[in-house]
Amino acid sequence: MLRLTDFIIDCPDPMALAAFYAAVTGREVAATSREEWASVVFGDIELACYKVDDYTPPSWPGDEHPKQFHLDFEVDEFAPERERIEALGAVHLKDFVNDEGYGWQVYTDPVGHPFCLCRNPGYDWSE
């Protein structure tokens, strides 16, 4: 048996980064979180933040410190989510949005990990 249980992000302050992703996704930081390991639970999978001393953020689009991963979040509309996540500490880097308003926007979280807001035609999140 193989089952994905955690997606782990290195960072300098796990509680702060978990709080950011909890706010972005409308969830809570897990009660079991602590200084060196904090997480947000999504069903059977946790988005976990792990403390790394001398943390160096990834660079994008450069490759001096490659991103190595990124998260995608589907949204209904870009503008309200951009305003909300920037207020939480996200930094907007670049848009890849077509004339119809579909595509993705690249951001970094408060410690430099890239993630995207995505808007795809015909995607139904109501289920």
Side-chain angles (χ1 to χ4, degrees):
M1 179 195 88
L2 184 140
R3 182 173 62 107
L4 178 64
T5 58
D6 300 284
F7 188 92
I8 303 164
I9 303 174
D10 292 346
C11 64
D13 184 344
M15 290 299 286
L17 192 58
F20 170 79
Y21 281 111
V24 164
T25 61
R27 299 194 178 247
E28 300 290 326
V29 173
T32 56
S33 296
R34 53 195 189 281
E35 182 181 336
E36 63 281 343
W37 175 281
S39 66
V40 180
V41 178
F42 297 87
D44 291 339
I45 298 173
E46 290 188 40
L47 177 59
C49 304
Y50 178 73
K51 184 176 178 75
V52 171
D53 294 328
D54 300 322
Y55 170 77
T56 300
S59 58
W60 184 90
D63 60 4
E64 180 180 336
H65 299 285
K67 65 180 177 173
Q68 300 176 358
F69 81 91
H70 74 272
L71 302 172
D72 284 350
F73 297 99
E74 185 77 21
V75 299
D76 291 326
E77 297 293 333
F78 287 120
E81 290 302 323
R82 177 178 179 168
E83 183 178 337
R84 188 177 73 82
I85 67 171
E86 285 182 335
L88 294 169
V91 176
H92 178 256
L93 297 181
K94 190 167 182 170
D95 288 344
F96 297 90
V97 179
N98 66 22
D99 293 340
E100 290 81 37
Y102 297 107
W104 65 95
Q105 296 176 324
V106 181
Y107 295 83
T108 58
D109 67 22
V111 296
H113 298 109
F115 69 94
C116 296
L117 295 186
C118 303
R119 185 167 181 261
N120 296 298
Y123 203 94
D124 182 4
W125 282 99
S126 64
E127 298 176 1

